[in-house]
Amino acid sequence: MSDYLIKATAYDGMVRCYVAVTTNTVEEARKRQDTWPTASAALGRSLTITAIMGAMLKGDDSLTTTIAGDGALGQVVADANAKGEVRGFVNHPHVDFPLNEQGKLDVSRAVGQGVLSVVKDQGLKDYFTGQVPIVSGEISEDFTYYSANSEQIPSAVGAGVLVAPEDHVIAAGGFILQVMPGADEFVIEQLEKSIAALPQLSHFIEEGNDAEAILKQLIPEDSLQILERMPIQFNCTCSKERMLLAIKGLGAAEIESMIKEDQGAEVTCHFCNEVYNIEETELQALL
Ligand code: ZN
């Protein structure tokens, strides 16, 4: 099954629903970043939620989420656009802790305390930034807190990643349910009940359930209207041209020292680990 996301509305438009299955996307990120299990879970949850937030954007808009905690991972960074493309990395991928008391990967310990920030790039320097403290480090709860405090649309956010003992990603996915202003108290109670009763998301996906099946666990089918289905994939927008532009931004003195000391440069993209070899002549052309 390829990764995809569905958009739906529920309860006569009082709730907007986004559900994604992201197993391949998260596995691609794990392979590229060589993340160990706890790091894979943290990065995977963040990639999933960021991809869903990206799907709420329009046109060429994009967003970047950064979870900057003081735990072993360092920063967890993800960015996504309205086309379903997402990429991300953690500063320290080789992080793996024993399972927590609930038998789950101890993401909270790997993230630590700090801040979650979201930057939306909506073209023409129209940046929107929101920032909240990390409340639990479990990532889904942190994004739930973010949505209530920075976006003014209360949302329930969930994401899960199942990692095999030999490290590969078996299943990943997540959801965001947005409660529109003026929604009935009854609807909010129904959502709270169904979220509390939701099976563990990553295991539910492992059993072969798709995004529609997850959605039906959250919302009764007769209250649901599915609007759109779109693919989600790991895709990095880096290129040699962009790398050269970044090097140019370092300034002439830095470029001259690269030429003198290394006769070129080797640049690695943080997001996808692609290595770009920059020739001496290409550096000279920047001066
Ligand atoms: Zn890249």
Side-chain angles (χ1 to χ4, degrees):
M1 182 167 64
S2 300
D3 291 351
Y4 72 102
L5 172 145
I6 48 175
K7 298 180 186 178
T9 63
Y11 300 108
D12 297 322
M14 285 189 268
V15 180
R16 282 190 204 154
C17 317
Y18 302 83
V19 181
V21 172
T22 55
T23 308
N24 302 309
T25 302
V26 176
E27 170 64 0
E28 181 67 22
R30 180 200 67 83
K31 281 194 278 189
R32 286 178 177 271
Q33 308 287 342
D34 190 31
T35 48
W36 291 0
T38 313
S40 300
L43 179 59
R45 289 180 196 176
S46 186
L47 282 172
T48 300
I49 295 164
T50 304
I52 295 172
M53 292 171 76
M56 296 172 186
L57 301 173
K58 291 184 174 67
D60 293 326
D61 295 355
S62 62
L63 68 87
T64 303
T65 65
T66 304
I67 300 163
D70 60 3
L73 290 174
Q75 295 193 338
V76 183
V77 180
D79 73 29
N81 60 28
K83 300 177 204 93
E85 296 168 323
V86 63
R87 58 181 189 161
F89 66 90
V90 297
N91 287 145
H92 305 292
H94 293 170
V95 173
D96 192 32
F97 290 132
L99 300 180
N100 65 18
E101 285 165 4
Q102 291 84 42
K104 293 186 180 177
L105 291 162
D106 203 347
V107 170
S108 166
R109 180 179 169 194
V111 168
Q113 307 264 310
V115 292
L116 160 64
S117 58
V118 176
V119 177
K120 289 183 185 173
D121 181 357
Q122 296 172 306
L124 296 170
K125 293 185 179 170
D126 180 18
Y127 284 87
F128 167 80
T129 308
Q131 193 174 71
V132 294
I134 292 170
V135 287
S136 79
E138 290 291 340
I139 298 180
S140 301
E141 288 162 35
D142 302 303
F143 278 98
T144 298
Y145 184 77
Y146 167 82
S147 72
N149 287 277
S150 282
E151 301 257 303
Q152 314 304 331
I153 302 177
S155 304
V157 183
V161 175
L162 187 64
V163 182
E166 67 277 15
D167 287 3
H168 75 273
V169 174
I170 299 172
F175 65 86
I176 297 182
L177 301 178
Q178 292 182 319
V179 180
M180 294 297 115
D184 291 352
E185 200 57 39
F186 165 80
V187 168
I188 294 166
E189 279 170 23
Q190 290 300 307
L191 289 180
E192 283 169 355
K193 275 186 201 162
S194 58
I195 289 166
L198 192 68
Q200 201 178 325
L201 211 54
S202 56
H203 288 282
F204 192 65
I205 295 166
E206 183 199 14
E207 289 162 7
N209 292 293
D210 58 11
E212 282 84 352
I214 296 167
L215 189 56
K216 285 170 193 167
Q217 294 283 319
L218 291 163
I219 311 275
E221 212 173 335
D222 57 3
S223 309
L224 199 58
Q225 192 190 358
I226 293 180
L227 302 175
E228 192 189 339
R229 192 180 158 123
M230 62 182 271
I232 297 285
Q233 59 174 324
F234 185 100
N235 192 29
C236 192
T237 50
C238 69
S239 65
K240 192 160 196 179
E241 288 67 35
R242 284 181 187 222
M243 290 298 171
L244 288 170
L245 215 60
I247 292 172
K248 197 173 178 182
L250 297 173
E254 187 70 24
I255 297 169
E256 273 159 12
S257 98
M258 286 175 177
I259 293 170
K260 201 171 147 205
E261 285 166 29
D262 303 315
Q263 295 83 47
E266 190 183 272
V267 193
T268 305
C269 173
H270 287 306
F271 283 98
C272 67
N273 264 342
E274 185 81 35
V275 177
Y276 292 91
N277 287 300
I278 314 291
E279 307 289 335
E280 191 173 348
T281 51
E282 290 172 301
L283 291 176
Q284 273 157 353
L286 295 175
L287 291 171

